[in-house]
Amino acid sequence: MILDLKTKVDKLGVEDRVSRITKRSLKSEAKLQGLKMILSMIDLTTLEGMDTNKSVEQLCYKATHLHQEFPDLPNVAAVCVYPNMVKTASNFLKDSKVKVASVATAFPSGNSSLEVKIQETKEAIFNGAEEIDMVISRGKFHSGEYNYVFDEIATIKETCGDKARLKVILETGELGDYDHIRLASEISIKAGADFIKTSTGKIKPAATLPITLVMLEAIKDHYYNTGKMVGMKPAGGISNSKLALQYLIMVKETLGNLWLDKHWFRFGASSLANDVLMQILKQKTGVYQSNNYFSKD
Amino acid sequence: MSKRIKVLKTYKIFIDGKFPRTESGRYTQLKKDNLTIANVCLSSRKDIRNAVLSARNVFESWSSKSAYNRSQILYRIAEMMEGNKNQFIEELILQGEDSNKAILEINQSIDRIIYFAGWPDKINPIFGSVNPVASSHFNFTILEPMGVVGIVAPEENSLLGLISSIIPVILSGNTCVTIVSEKLPLCAISLAEVISNSDVPNGVVNIITGSKDELAPHLAQHMDVNALGINIDNKELKNQMFFQASNNLKRVVDVSKQKIEDSSFESPYIVKKFMEAKTIWHPIEKDFNSTNNY
């Protein structure tokens, strides 16, 4: 693996560009289209120690019945759960187009042996996971053992084979500055990630616009160099539509229309879907909505 | 000594404990004898939206404070106003009231807060009840706050009217978004400053200036507003609000017939109008030997 350790991220440039992106104004028709697109890109997520079979089933039910008053609305892209809940979710979703994603590799810390991680990944796939969200070993990364991080991702990718798409979580909140994030993005992409993902959602700060922009730039450079597309998934902390629309604008302006598809761009979020529904209803009725009329899960 | 340059106050709006300018950036000039006395924010529907959001966020913590604590906090508003009397008097005079009337109005306003500040922990003891039922249940009724209340304050009596609209609503644990007098908005913003200095949590009271015709309908339609307390002379607007409030079955309390200046306004019944009764059937073992028949 050849890594470019010399190029530094232009911090001020990134933040300046983000601040301009957040000031774009959207006409209401474009906004409505954007909102629908966001809805179709959501990985509806529940990653709590207190998850039960029933609560996961409830989430799957929600994923397939987002809002019965508007049957023309798209479904969310996937439901994201812990490995032990994959069976429950995939049983529930087997007749729907909603995919089952599972976190794996000792999520969220990633502090476990490679054998355990491989085993966990295999199990999740065997139980029906179509997407695997793995975490990188941040400790190894900080010790400079980039090859270890690379090999681990490559091994998990091999385990996934063509049965599941691999999303690699960098956990940017633990990586430090933009240079590290850029480096981790490159390692993940070169090791074969189908998606790179910002955060587990367990650490603050989670996804932010500047961090996502740095990762999008890494994807763009890889695309220009090799012609291969890699997906992006910001996760954690994106709970309102306005922010999500800003992400979409950033993707469109950085990577172009090709990435404006749930195959290449996802939001990892639990409460975003409700806010998007509320905004869509607001656009359609002209009346501000209330959380009380939308099921929590 | 050289003449001092006048220091004029910027009147902004009050949302979530902060004093932002209106999101729309619009202003209107308040004039008296062709002289501009203030620039007043012409707020927009997005200011209403932000205010409702903050009122909703703080509702749970405000309504779950002990009633006695709410009482203390309301009393604190009165204390702070007492110290700021002169500012209110100046503003009332600036808005065209004569000085005697202005002094009367501020005193009456403070007294009114003190009156209502005594009520939070007495509402339920008086209006709640234990109800006689035939089955073996302990059956009782308590009053609860309704949630976010949209208030349209009266045009006249800019200070007393505003206080009489807000205090009875928030004392039971409601939070509010208030559209204030269009012609006489100055005291409202000074009241906001007093409130922000007096232990009232951010977002419990939100104060918005601007055109009632434009803003009130958005309050009436908003699905996250649970009740309305309106004091409007304009019949057409009032009817429109009643109609729009029906989309989520808001309770609309029409306060316009109440005499704000009169001491008869000081009654707990106005508080009760912004509360919801909850009746609980608690199963118990019927003790037939007892003479106590709930």
Side-chain angles (χ1 to χ4, degrees), chain A residues 1-5 8 136-154 175 177 179-181 183-184 186-188 191:
Chain A
M1 175 184 56
I2 303 155
L3 285 173
D4 173 13
L5 295 169
K8 300 286 181 206
I136 65 168
S137 301
R138 280 89 72 194
K140 298 283 183 193
F141 180 84
H142 282 303
S143 335
E145 296 178 47
Y146 302 136
N147 282 325
Y148 181 94
V149 177
F150 179 95
D151 290 342
E152 198 176 56
I153 299 169
L175 289 187
D177 58 15
D179 295 332
H180 284 157
I181 293 167
L183 183 60
E186 269 178 43
I187 294 173
S188 312

PDB file of all heavy atoms in Angstrom, chain A residues 1-5 8 136-154 175 177 179-181 183-184 186-188 191:
ATOM      1  N   MET A   1       0.846  -1.199   0.000  1.00  0.00           N
ATOM      2  CA  MET A   1       0.000   0.000   0.000  1.00  0.00           C
ATOM      3  C   MET A   1       0.882   1.249   0.000  1.00  0.00           C
ATOM      4  O   MET A   1       1.740   1.411   0.840  1.00  0.00           O
ATOM      5  CB  MET A   1      -0.886  -0.005   1.248  1.00  0.00           C
ATOM      6  CG  MET A   1      -1.699   1.238   1.397  1.00  0.00           C
ATOM      7  SD  MET A   1      -2.654   1.280   2.925  1.00  0.00           S
ATOM      8  CE  MET A   1      -1.413   1.051   4.184  1.00  0.00           C
ATOM      9  N   ILE A   2       0.648   2.144  -0.953  1.00  0.00           N
ATOM     10  CA  ILE A   2       1.408   3.396  -0.977  1.00  0.00           C
ATOM     11  C   ILE A   2       0.521   4.515  -0.469  1.00  0.00           C
ATOM     12  O   ILE A   2      -0.554   4.782  -1.007  1.00  0.00           O
ATOM     13  CB  ILE A   2       1.888   3.738  -2.400  1.00  0.00           C
ATOM     14  CG1 ILE A   2       2.726   2.583  -2.940  1.00  0.00           C
ATOM     15  CG2 ILE A   2       2.662   5.050  -2.419  1.00  0.00           C
ATOM     16  CD1 ILE A   2       2.760   2.489  -4.444  1.00  0.00           C
ATOM     17  N   LEU A   3       0.951   5.137   0.638  1.00  0.00           N
ATOM     18  CA  LEU A   3       0.155   6.213   1.211  1.00  0.00           C
ATOM     19  C   LEU A   3       0.834   7.549   0.991  1.00  0.00           C
ATOM     20  O   LEU A   3       2.050   7.653   1.081  1.00  0.00           O
ATOM     21  CB  LEU A   3      -0.032   5.989   2.711  1.00  0.00           C
ATOM     22  CG  LEU A   3      -1.013   4.907   3.099  1.00  0.00           C
ATOM     23  CD1 LEU A   3      -0.957   4.683   4.591  1.00  0.00           C
ATOM     24  CD2 LEU A   3      -2.416   5.253   2.658  1.00  0.00           C
ATOM     25  N   ASP A   4       0.022   8.534   0.716  1.00  0.00           N
ATOM     26  CA  ASP A   4       0.539   9.877   0.587  1.00  0.00           C
ATOM     27  C   ASP A   4       0.469  10.552   1.949  1.00  0.00           C
ATOM     28  O   ASP A   4      -0.595  10.963   2.388  1.00  0.00           O
ATOM     29  CB  ASP A   4      -0.302  10.634  -0.453  1.00  0.00           C
ATOM     30  CG  ASP A   4       0.097  12.090  -0.510  1.00  0.00           C
ATOM     31  OD1 ASP A   4       1.160  12.428   0.055  1.00  0.00           O
ATOM     32  OD2 ASP A   4      -0.644  12.873  -1.120  1.00  0.00           O
ATOM     33  N   LEU A   5       1.614  10.603   2.640  1.00  0.00           N
ATOM     34  CA  LEU A   5       1.617  11.154   3.996  1.00  0.00           C
ATOM     35  C   LEU A   5       1.980  12.629   4.016  1.00  0.00           C
ATOM     36  O   LEU A   5       2.002  13.252   5.066  1.00  0.00           O
ATOM     37  CB  LEU A   5       2.583  10.366   4.882  1.00  0.00           C
ATOM     38  CG  LEU A   5       2.194   8.910   5.131  1.00  0.00           C
ATOM     39  CD1 LEU A   5       3.336   8.144   5.779  1.00  0.00           C
ATOM     40  CD2 LEU A   5       0.945   8.803   5.968  1.00  0.00           C
ATOM     41  N   LYS A   8      -1.351  17.753   3.000  1.00  0.00           N
ATOM     42  CA  LYS A   8      -2.137  18.129   4.158  1.00  0.00           C
ATOM     43  C   LYS A   8      -3.490  18.693   3.705  1.00  0.00           C
ATOM     44  O   LYS A   8      -3.586  19.291   2.620  1.00  0.00           O
ATOM     45  CB  LYS A   8      -1.399  19.195   4.986  1.00  0.00           C
ATOM     46  CG  LYS A   8      -0.051  18.739   5.508  1.00  0.00           C
ATOM     47  CD  LYS A   8      -0.219  17.760   6.650  1.00  0.00           C
ATOM     48  CE  LYS A   8       1.131  17.316   7.179  1.00  0.00           C
ATOM     49  NZ  LYS A   8       1.096  16.011   7.813  1.00  0.00           N
ATOM     50  N   ILE A 136     -12.846   0.675  12.317  1.00  0.00           N
ATOM     51  CA  ILE A 136     -11.402   0.451  12.193  1.00  0.00           C
ATOM     52  C   ILE A 136     -10.795   0.444  13.595  1.00  0.00           C
ATOM     53  O   ILE A 136     -11.407   0.911  14.551  1.00  0.00           O
ATOM     54  CB  ILE A 136     -10.702   1.535  11.328  1.00  0.00           C
ATOM     55  CG1 ILE A 136     -10.780   2.915  11.989  1.00  0.00           C
ATOM     56  CG2 ILE A 136     -11.285   1.570   9.945  1.00  0.00           C
ATOM     57  CD1 ILE A 136      -9.872   3.946  11.343  1.00  0.00           C
ATOM     58  N   SER A 137      -9.596  -0.085  13.717  1.00  0.00           N
ATOM     59  CA  SER A 137      -8.904  -0.105  15.007  1.00  0.00           C
ATOM     60  C   SER A 137      -8.199   1.227  15.189  1.00  0.00           C
ATOM     61  O   SER A 137      -7.124   1.457  14.643  1.00  0.00           O
ATOM     62  CB  SER A 137      -7.885  -1.240  15.054  1.00  0.00           C
ATOM     63  OG  SER A 137      -8.538  -2.459  14.845  1.00  0.00           O
ATOM     64  N   ARG A 138      -8.829   2.114  15.946  1.00  0.00           N
ATOM     65  CA  ARG A 138      -8.267   3.463  16.103  1.00  0.00           C
ATOM     66  C   ARG A 138      -6.948   3.436  16.868  1.00  0.00           C
ATOM     67  O   ARG A 138      -6.043   4.231  16.592  1.00  0.00           O
ATOM     68  CB  ARG A 138      -9.259   4.397  16.792  1.00  0.00           C
ATOM     69  CG  ARG A 138     -10.328   4.950  15.885  1.00  0.00           C
ATOM     70  CD  ARG A 138     -11.542   4.070  15.802  1.00  0.00           C
ATOM     71  NE  ARG A 138     -12.359   4.091  17.022  1.00  0.00           N
ATOM     72  CZ  ARG A 138     -13.309   3.205  17.291  1.00  0.00           C
ATOM     73  NH1 ARG A 138     -13.545   2.192  16.450  1.00  0.00           N
ATOM     74  NH2 ARG A 138     -14.013   3.295  18.385  1.00  0.00           N
ATOM     75  N   GLY A 139      -6.872   2.525  17.837  1.00  0.00           N
ATOM     76  CA  GLY A 139      -5.633   2.437  18.611  1.00  0.00           C
ATOM     77  C   GLY A 139      -4.451   2.132  17.706  1.00  0.00           C
ATOM     78  O   GLY A 139      -3.397   2.769  17.772  1.00  0.00           O
ATOM     79  N   LYS A 140      -4.641   1.144  16.833  1.00  0.00           N
ATOM     80  CA  LYS A 140      -3.568   0.775  15.895  1.00  0.00           C
ATOM     81  C   LYS A 140      -3.253   1.936  14.970  1.00  0.00           C
ATOM     82  O   LYS A 140      -2.105   2.214  14.650  1.00  0.00           O
ATOM     83  CB  LYS A 140      -3.997  -0.441  15.059  1.00  0.00           C
ATOM     84  CG  LYS A 140      -4.250  -1.686  15.884  1.00  0.00           C
ATOM     85  CD  LYS A 140      -2.948  -2.344  16.295  1.00  0.00           C
ATOM     86  CE  LYS A 140      -3.237  -3.643  17.051  1.00  0.00           C
ATOM     87  NZ  LYS A 140      -2.042  -4.164  17.724  1.00  0.00           N
ATOM     88  N   PHE A 141      -4.307   2.616  14.543  1.00  0.00           N
ATOM     89  CA  PHE A 141      -4.116   3.749  13.645  1.00  0.00           C
ATOM     90  C   PHE A 141      -3.245   4.808  14.310  1.00  0.00           C
ATOM     91  O   PHE A 141      -2.294   5.321  13.714  1.00  0.00           O
ATOM     92  CB  PHE A 141      -5.472   4.341  13.252  1.00  0.00           C
ATOM     93  CG  PHE A 141      -5.385   5.527  12.328  1.00  0.00           C
ATOM     94  CD1 PHE A 141      -5.274   5.347  10.953  1.00  0.00           C
ATOM     95  CD2 PHE A 141      -5.396   6.820  12.829  1.00  0.00           C
ATOM     96  CE1 PHE A 141      -5.185   6.431  10.091  1.00  0.00           C
ATOM     97  CE2 PHE A 141      -5.297   7.917  11.983  1.00  0.00           C
ATOM     98  CZ  PHE A 141      -5.197   7.721  10.613  1.00  0.00           C
ATOM     99  N   HIS A 142      -3.548   5.105  15.580  1.00  0.00           N
ATOM    100  CA  HIS A 142      -2.781   6.135  16.281  1.00  0.00           C
ATOM    101  C   HIS A 142      -1.353   5.681  16.568  1.00  0.00           C
ATOM    102  O   HIS A 142      -0.462   6.508  16.750  1.00  0.00           O
ATOM    103  CB  HIS A 142      -3.489   6.541  17.578  1.00  0.00           C
ATOM    104  CG  HIS A 142      -4.641   7.473  17.348  1.00  0.00           C
ATOM    105  ND1 HIS A 142      -4.514   8.679  16.713  1.00  0.00           N
ATOM    106  CD2 HIS A 142      -5.955   7.362  17.650  1.00  0.00           C
ATOM    107  CE1 HIS A 142      -5.694   9.276  16.634  1.00  0.00           C
ATOM    108  NE2 HIS A 142      -6.592   8.497  17.194  1.00  0.00           N
ATOM    109  N   SER A 143      -1.127   4.360  16.655  1.00  0.00           N
ATOM    110  CA  SER A 143       0.245   3.897  16.860  1.00  0.00           C
ATOM    111  C   SER A 143       1.019   3.848  15.552  1.00  0.00           C
ATOM    112  O   SER A 143       2.162   3.400  15.518  1.00  0.00           O
ATOM    113  CB  SER A 143       0.268   2.498  17.478  1.00  0.00           C
ATOM    114  OG  SER A 143      -0.899   2.240  18.182  1.00  0.00           O
ATOM    115  N   GLY A 144       0.373   4.283  14.491  1.00  0.00           N
ATOM    116  CA  GLY A 144       1.062   4.301  13.210  1.00  0.00           C
ATOM    117  C   GLY A 144       1.060   2.962  12.493  1.00  0.00           C
ATOM    118  O   GLY A 144       1.738   2.783  11.488  1.00  0.00           O
ATOM    119  N   GLU A 145       0.303   1.988  13.002  1.00  0.00           N
ATOM    120  CA  GLU A 145       0.283   0.674  12.350  1.00  0.00           C
ATOM    121  C   GLU A 145      -0.757   0.659  11.230  1.00  0.00           C
ATOM    122  O   GLU A 145      -1.774  -0.032  11.288  1.00  0.00           O
ATOM    123  CB  GLU A 145      -0.017  -0.410  13.387  1.00  0.00           C
ATOM    124  CG  GLU A 145       1.081  -0.519  14.430  1.00  0.00           C
ATOM    125  CD  GLU A 145       0.757  -1.565  15.491  1.00  0.00           C
ATOM    126  OE1 GLU A 145       0.358  -2.681  15.114  1.00  0.00           O
ATOM    127  OE2 GLU A 145       0.879  -1.246  16.679  1.00  0.00           O
ATOM    128  N   TYR A 146      -0.475   1.483  10.216  1.00  0.00           N
ATOM    129  CA  TYR A 146      -1.433   1.632   9.129  1.00  0.00           C
ATOM    130  C   TYR A 146      -1.639   0.327   8.369  1.00  0.00           C
ATOM    131  O   TYR A 146      -2.718   0.033   7.888  1.00  0.00           O
ATOM    132  CB  TYR A 146      -0.981   2.746   8.175  1.00  0.00           C
ATOM    133  CG  TYR A 146      -0.803   4.079   8.870  1.00  0.00           C
ATOM    134  CD1 TYR A 146       0.300   4.876   8.616  1.00  0.00           C
ATOM    135  CD2 TYR A 146      -1.748   4.529   9.796  1.00  0.00           C
ATOM    136  CE1 TYR A 146       0.464   6.095   9.250  1.00  0.00           C
ATOM    137  CE2 TYR A 146      -1.579   5.739  10.439  1.00  0.00           C
ATOM    138  CZ  TYR A 146      -0.480   6.513  10.174  1.00  0.00           C
ATOM    139  OH  TYR A 146      -0.318   7.700  10.810  1.00  0.00           O
ATOM    140  N   ASN A 147      -0.565  -0.451   8.277  1.00  0.00           N
ATOM    141  CA  ASN A 147      -0.700  -1.721   7.562  1.00  0.00           C
ATOM    142  C   ASN A 147      -1.666  -2.666   8.258  1.00  0.00           C
ATOM    143  O   ASN A 147      -2.438  -3.376   7.606  1.00  0.00           O
ATOM    144  CB  ASN A 147       0.664  -2.399   7.424  1.00  0.00           C
ATOM    145  CG  ASN A 147       1.457  -1.760   6.309  1.00  0.00           C
ATOM    146  OD1 ASN A 147       0.881  -1.347   5.290  1.00  0.00           O
ATOM    147  ND2 ASN A 147       2.769  -1.647   6.504  1.00  0.00           N
ATOM    148  N   TYR A 148      -1.619  -2.644   9.603  1.00  0.00           N
ATOM    149  CA  TYR A 148      -2.544  -3.494  10.357  1.00  0.00           C
ATOM    150  C   TYR A 148      -3.984  -3.103  10.043  1.00  0.00           C
ATOM    151  O   TYR A 148      -4.840  -3.942   9.737  1.00  0.00           O
ATOM    152  CB  TYR A 148      -2.272  -3.361  11.856  1.00  0.00           C
ATOM    153  CG  TYR A 148      -3.162  -4.234  12.703  1.00  0.00           C
ATOM    154  CD1 TYR A 148      -2.751  -5.506  13.109  1.00  0.00           C
ATOM    155  CD2 TYR A 148      -4.432  -3.799  13.082  1.00  0.00           C
ATOM    156  CE1 TYR A 148      -3.576  -6.307  13.872  1.00  0.00           C
ATOM    157  CE2 TYR A 148      -5.271  -4.598  13.837  1.00  0.00           C
ATOM    158  CZ  TYR A 148      -4.828  -5.851  14.242  1.00  0.00           C
ATOM    159  OH  TYR A 148      -5.644  -6.655  14.985  1.00  0.00           O
ATOM    160  N   VAL A 149      -4.218  -1.764  10.087  1.00  0.00           N
ATOM    161  CA  VAL A 149      -5.577  -1.257   9.822  1.00  0.00           C
ATOM    162  C   VAL A 149      -6.014  -1.667   8.419  1.00  0.00           C
ATOM    163  O   VAL A 149      -7.133  -2.161   8.204  1.00  0.00           O
ATOM    164  CB  VAL A 149      -5.612   0.282   9.976  1.00  0.00           C
ATOM    165  CG1 VAL A 149      -6.985   0.829   9.631  1.00  0.00           C
ATOM    166  CG2 VAL A 149      -5.215   0.687  11.394  1.00  0.00           C
ATOM    167  N   PHE A 150      -5.093  -1.489   7.462  1.00  0.00           N
ATOM    168  CA  PHE A 150      -5.376  -1.842   6.069  1.00  0.00           C
ATOM    169  C   PHE A 150      -5.722  -3.325   5.951  1.00  0.00           C
ATOM    170  O   PHE A 150      -6.746  -3.701   5.369  1.00  0.00           O
ATOM    171  CB  PHE A 150      -4.158  -1.498   5.212  1.00  0.00           C
ATOM    172  CG  PHE A 150      -4.323  -1.832   3.758  1.00  0.00           C
ATOM    173  CD1 PHE A 150      -4.758  -0.864   2.854  1.00  0.00           C
ATOM    174  CD2 PHE A 150      -4.044  -3.111   3.279  1.00  0.00           C
ATOM    175  CE1 PHE A 150      -4.905  -1.163   1.511  1.00  0.00           C
ATOM    176  CE2 PHE A 150      -4.197  -3.417   1.938  1.00  0.00           C
ATOM    177  CZ  PHE A 150      -4.632  -2.435   1.050  1.00  0.00           C
ATOM    178  N   ASP A 151      -4.857  -4.165   6.540  1.00  0.00           N
ATOM    179  CA  ASP A 151      -5.059  -5.615   6.402  1.00  0.00           C
ATOM    180  C   ASP A 151      -6.378  -6.053   7.028  1.00  0.00           C
ATOM    181  O   ASP A 151      -7.071  -6.933   6.503  1.00  0.00           O
ATOM    182  CB  ASP A 151      -3.911  -6.371   7.074  1.00  0.00           C
ATOM    183  CG  ASP A 151      -2.618  -6.189   6.292  1.00  0.00           C
ATOM    184  OD1 ASP A 151      -2.722  -5.787   5.109  1.00  0.00           O
ATOM    185  OD2 ASP A 151      -1.534  -6.429   6.861  1.00  0.00           O
ATOM    186  N   GLU A 152      -6.697  -5.422   8.151  1.00  0.00           N
ATOM    187  CA  GLU A 152      -7.928  -5.808   8.834  1.00  0.00           C
ATOM    188  C   GLU A 152      -9.145  -5.522   7.947  1.00  0.00           C
ATOM    189  O   GLU A 152     -10.018  -6.360   7.768  1.00  0.00           O
ATOM    190  CB  GLU A 152      -8.027  -5.021  10.142  1.00  0.00           C
ATOM    191  CG  GLU A 152      -9.001  -5.629  11.120  1.00  0.00           C
ATOM    192  CD  GLU A 152      -8.981  -4.872  12.438  1.00  0.00           C
ATOM    193  OE1 GLU A 152      -9.206  -3.652  12.442  1.00  0.00           O
ATOM    194  OE2 GLU A 152      -8.732  -5.523  13.456  1.00  0.00           O
ATOM    195  N   ILE A 153      -9.155  -4.314   7.373  1.00  0.00           N
ATOM    196  CA  ILE A 153     -10.272  -3.957   6.484  1.00  0.00           C
ATOM    197  C   ILE A 153     -10.322  -4.923   5.298  1.00  0.00           C
ATOM    198  O   ILE A 153     -11.377  -5.444   4.938  1.00  0.00           O
ATOM    199  CB  ILE A 153     -10.140  -2.504   5.978  1.00  0.00           C
ATOM    200  CG1 ILE A 153     -10.160  -1.539   7.170  1.00  0.00           C
ATOM    201  CG2 ILE A 153     -11.256  -2.167   5.007  1.00  0.00           C
ATOM    202  CD1 ILE A 153      -9.783  -0.118   6.822  1.00  0.00           C
ATOM    203  N   ALA A 154      -9.143  -5.175   4.727  1.00  0.00           N
ATOM    204  CA  ALA A 154      -9.094  -6.057   3.552  1.00  0.00           C
ATOM    205  C   ALA A 154      -9.608  -7.453   3.902  1.00  0.00           C
ATOM    206  O   ALA A 154     -10.326  -8.080   3.117  1.00  0.00           O
ATOM    207  CB  ALA A 154      -7.669  -6.127   3.017  1.00  0.00           C
ATOM    208  N   LEU A 175     -10.253  10.410  15.803  1.00  0.00           N
ATOM    209  CA  LEU A 175      -9.074  10.438  14.933  1.00  0.00           C
ATOM    210  C   LEU A 175      -8.259  11.719  15.055  1.00  0.00           C
ATOM    211  O   LEU A 175      -7.097  11.765  14.692  1.00  0.00           O
ATOM    212  CB  LEU A 175      -9.484  10.242  13.469  1.00  0.00           C
ATOM    213  CG  LEU A 175      -9.952   8.840  13.097  1.00  0.00           C
ATOM    214  CD1 LEU A 175     -10.166   8.744  11.593  1.00  0.00           C
ATOM    215  CD2 LEU A 175      -8.964   7.786  13.554  1.00  0.00           C
ATOM    216  N   ASP A 177      -7.312  15.370  13.860  1.00  0.00           N
ATOM    217  CA  ASP A 177      -7.490  16.427  12.848  1.00  0.00           C
ATOM    218  C   ASP A 177      -7.835  15.884  11.464  1.00  0.00           C
ATOM    219  O   ASP A 177      -7.926  14.688  11.236  1.00  0.00           O
ATOM    220  CB  ASP A 177      -6.243  17.323  12.790  1.00  0.00           C
ATOM    221  CG  ASP A 177      -4.989  16.503  12.467  1.00  0.00           C
ATOM    222  OD1 ASP A 177      -5.161  15.355  12.026  1.00  0.00           O
ATOM    223  OD2 ASP A 177      -3.881  17.018  12.671  1.00  0.00           O
ATOM    224  N   ASP A 179      -6.187  15.819   8.754  1.00  0.00           N
ATOM    225  CA  ASP A 179      -5.160  15.020   8.073  1.00  0.00           C
ATOM    226  C   ASP A 179      -5.323  13.544   8.401  1.00  0.00           C
ATOM    227  O   ASP A 179      -5.202  12.683   7.526  1.00  0.00           O
ATOM    228  CB  ASP A 179      -3.762  15.499   8.496  1.00  0.00           C
ATOM    229  CG  ASP A 179      -3.491  16.918   8.029  1.00  0.00           C
ATOM    230  OD1 ASP A 179      -4.083  17.310   6.991  1.00  0.00           O
ATOM    231  OD2 ASP A 179      -2.728  17.623   8.696  1.00  0.00           O
ATOM    232  N   HIS A 180      -5.583  13.256   9.678  1.00  0.00           N
ATOM    233  CA  HIS A 180      -5.803  11.862  10.073  1.00  0.00           C
ATOM    234  C   HIS A 180      -7.040  11.281   9.409  1.00  0.00           C
ATOM    235  O   HIS A 180      -7.060  10.124   8.987  1.00  0.00           O
ATOM    236  CB  HIS A 180      -5.951  11.768  11.598  1.00  0.00           C
ATOM    237  CG  HIS A 180      -4.660  11.881  12.332  1.00  0.00           C
ATOM    238  ND1 HIS A 180      -4.570  12.274  13.632  1.00  0.00           N
ATOM    239  CD2 HIS A 180      -3.397  11.639  11.919  1.00  0.00           C
ATOM    240  CE1 HIS A 180      -3.302  12.278  14.012  1.00  0.00           C
ATOM    241  NE2 HIS A 180      -2.563  11.896  12.974  1.00  0.00           N
ATOM    242  N   ILE A 181      -8.064  12.106   9.325  1.00  0.00           N
ATOM    243  CA  ILE A 181      -9.319  11.625   8.722  1.00  0.00           C
ATOM    244  C   ILE A 181      -9.098  11.309   7.248  1.00  0.00           C
ATOM    245  O   ILE A 181      -9.540  10.282   6.731  1.00  0.00           O
ATOM    246  CB  ILE A 181     -10.423  12.683   8.913  1.00  0.00           C
ATOM    247  CG1 ILE A 181     -10.771  12.797  10.402  1.00  0.00           C
ATOM    248  CG2 ILE A 181     -11.665  12.342   8.100  1.00  0.00           C
ATOM    249  CD1 ILE A 181     -11.597  13.995  10.767  1.00  0.00           C
ATOM    250  N   LEU A 183      -6.276  10.508   5.901  1.00  0.00           N
ATOM    251  CA  LEU A 183      -5.423   9.328   5.804  1.00  0.00           C
ATOM    252  C   LEU A 183      -6.229   8.056   6.035  1.00  0.00           C
ATOM    253  O   LEU A 183      -6.130   7.081   5.267  1.00  0.00           O
ATOM    254  CB  LEU A 183      -4.299   9.446   6.843  1.00  0.00           C
ATOM    255  CG  LEU A 183      -3.251   8.347   6.851  1.00  0.00           C
ATOM    256  CD1 LEU A 183      -2.533   8.293   5.502  1.00  0.00           C
ATOM    257  CD2 LEU A 183      -2.237   8.589   7.961  1.00  0.00           C
ATOM    258  N   ALA A 184      -7.065   8.077   7.074  1.00  0.00           N
ATOM    259  CA  ALA A 184      -7.884   6.903   7.366  1.00  0.00           C
ATOM    260  C   ALA A 184      -8.840   6.618   6.215  1.00  0.00           C
ATOM    261  O   ALA A 184      -9.100   5.451   5.879  1.00  0.00           O
ATOM    262  CB  ALA A 184      -8.660   7.130   8.660  1.00  0.00           C
ATOM    263  N   GLU A 186      -8.277   7.224   3.071  1.00  0.00           N
ATOM    264  CA  GLU A 186      -7.502   6.614   1.990  1.00  0.00           C
ATOM    265  C   GLU A 186      -7.199   5.153   2.266  1.00  0.00           C
ATOM    266  O   GLU A 186      -7.323   4.298   1.385  1.00  0.00           O
ATOM    267  CB  GLU A 186      -6.192   7.382   1.797  1.00  0.00           C
ATOM    268  CG  GLU A 186      -6.342   8.491   0.788  1.00  0.00           C
ATOM    269  CD  GLU A 186      -5.047   9.281   0.650  1.00  0.00           C
ATOM    270  OE1 GLU A 186      -3.973   8.669   0.607  1.00  0.00           O
ATOM    271  OE2 GLU A 186      -5.154  10.524   0.615  1.00  0.00           O
ATOM    272  N   ILE A 187      -6.810   4.879   3.521  1.00  0.00           N
ATOM    273  CA  ILE A 187      -6.512   3.482   3.865  1.00  0.00           C
ATOM    274  C   ILE A 187      -7.741   2.610   3.627  1.00  0.00           C
ATOM    275  O   ILE A 187      -7.670   1.553   3.005  1.00  0.00           O
ATOM    276  CB  ILE A 187      -6.072   3.386   5.344  1.00  0.00           C
ATOM    277  CG1 ILE A 187      -4.746   4.116   5.545  1.00  0.00           C
ATOM    278  CG2 ILE A 187      -5.962   1.930   5.788  1.00  0.00           C
ATOM    279  CD1 ILE A 187      -4.315   4.215   6.998  1.00  0.00           C
ATOM    280  N   SER A 188      -8.898   3.095   4.095  1.00  0.00           N
ATOM    281  CA  SER A 188     -10.128   2.309   3.968  1.00  0.00           C
ATOM    282  C   SER A 188     -10.498   2.092   2.510  1.00  0.00           C
ATOM    283  O   SER A 188     -10.863   0.989   2.102  1.00  0.00           O
ATOM    284  CB  SER A 188     -11.282   3.013   4.670  1.00  0.00           C
ATOM    285  OG  SER A 188     -10.901   3.416   5.948  1.00  0.00           O
ATOM    286  N   ALA A 191      -8.211  -0.305   0.873  1.00  0.00           N
ATOM    287  CA  ALA A 191      -8.364  -1.674   1.364  1.00  0.00           C
ATOM    288  C   ALA A 191      -9.640  -2.332   0.848  1.00  0.00           C
ATOM    289  O   ALA A 191      -9.895  -3.496   1.124  1.00  0.00           O
ATOM    290  CB  ALA A 191      -8.347  -1.670   2.892  1.00  0.00           C
TER     291      ALA A 191
END
